[in-house]
Amino acid sequence: MKSPNPQPALSSIQREILVGGLLGDLSIYRAKVTHNARLYVQQGSVHKEYLNHLYSVFQNLCSSEPKWSLSLDKRSNTTYETLRFNSRSLPCFNYYRDVFYPEGVKIVPANIGELLTARGLAYWSMDDGYKDRGNFRLATQSFSRNDVLLLIKLLKDNFSLDCSLNTVKSTQYRIYVRANSMVQFRALVSPYFHPSMLYKLQ
């Protein structure tokens, strides 16, 4: 009797990119609690080079290539072209589904300080960041105030970055990497930035 094929594991680089991406645009879904989880990645057509790069990172965990689709922007009621891919449903994603979605909605895990590396910070920044008048802004509006404060503490403690909390609305918050930390920030993330996203640091 043949032994079952071993399930693929995430490499260290895949883990780092996954953690940073989950703070940004990456998502993990699980159809049922008894099922394995899968990765879902989507970007607008303007970032197709970046999405194809992400696909190359996780390609060994996928069964099909990226596909084009139309998505609806509910704010402007307009459709736009997107490129997306899914991984297979695999045990290697279950831990990240559990810690980032304990109640079904994405949060910042309490142990994020143990998970986020400089490489992960770069991928988070490529997904949800941009330079703003000498600062670097991270769009964290989907997270709670306590989650955003946890991220600010992490950025200070782990990466020596001076950051501030910016209130967008009464329950929406962004992170600013202040101008006095931009040299340190660029040194940390630029080695991992995809060429098509370097404009965000300029």
Side-chain angles (χ1 to χ4, degrees):
M1 180 178 176
K2 291 184 178 180
S3 59
N5 292 328
Q7 294 284 1
L10 293 168
S11 69
S12 59
I13 290 177
Q14 287 174 328
R15 287 195 300 269
E16 292 179 45
I17 293 173
L18 179 62
V19 169
L22 285 170
L23 292 175
D25 294 332
L26 271 59
S27 302
I28 292 183
Y29 293 102
R30 178 184 273 149
K32 296 180 180 179
V33 294
T34 55
H35 290 192
N36 290 320
R38 63 183 173 88
L39 175 67
Y40 177 79
V41 184
Q42 177 176 290
Q43 291 282 338
S45 59
V46 68
H47 292 143
K48 65 180 181 180
E49 289 182 38
Y50 177 56
L51 182 130
N52 284 324
H53 162 68
L54 289 173
Y55 175 70
S56 73
V57 170
F58 296 102
Q59 184 174 1
N60 69 307
L61 306 173
C62 301
S63 56
S64 60
E65 296 182 350
K67 296 179 174 63
W68 289 101
S69 63
L70 289 176
S71 296
L72 174 66
D73 185 340
K74 294 180 181 178
R75 294 170 297 183
S76 59
N77 200 32
T78 57
T79 56
Y80 61 99
E81 200 170 29
T82 62
L83 192 60
R84 58 180 172 82
F85 69 87
N86 295 306
S87 74
R88 291 177 282 145
S89 296
L90 295 166
C92 61
F93 292 114
N94 291 346
Y95 169 76
Y96 298 94
R97 171 68 192 187
D98 291 341
V99 297
F100 276 91
Y101 300 83
E103 302 294 333
V105 177
K106 189 193 286 188
I107 65 160
V108 176
N111 65 335
I112 190 64
E114 302 168 11
L115 301 175
L116 187 67
T117 64
R119 188 192 304 271
L121 175 59
Y123 279 79
W124 175 23
S125 302
M126 285 188 281
D127 272 9
D128 270 352
Y130 58 96
K131 191 176 176 186
D132 181 26
R133 292 174 294 180
N135 307 295
F136 193 85
R137 181 186 295 181
L138 290 162
T140 49
Q141 292 96 310
S142 63
F143 295 126
S144 70
R145 187 175 190 274
N146 285 340
D147 279 355
V148 177
L149 290 173
L150 176 61
L151 289 170
I152 290 174
K153 184 178 187 302
L154 157 68
L155 293 171
K156 179 180 179 180
D157 293 348
N158 290 21
F159 303 111
S160 301
L161 295 173
D162 182 18
C163 301
S164 62
L165 180 76
N166 174 250
T167 302
V168 182
K169 295 180 181 178
S170 60
T171 58
Q172 294 185 345
Y173 310 92
R174 287 185 297 225
I175 296 173
Y176 277 87
V177 180
R178 289 176 169 148
N180 62 302
S181 282
M182 284 303 296
V183 171
Q184 167 75 354
F185 177 71
R186 285 195 190 93
L188 283 166
V189 302
S190 60
Y192 306 109
F193 255 61
H194 188 263
S196 69
M197 305 299 270
L198 281 170
Y199 73 93
K200 292 195 172 195
L201 294 176
Q202 296 168 355

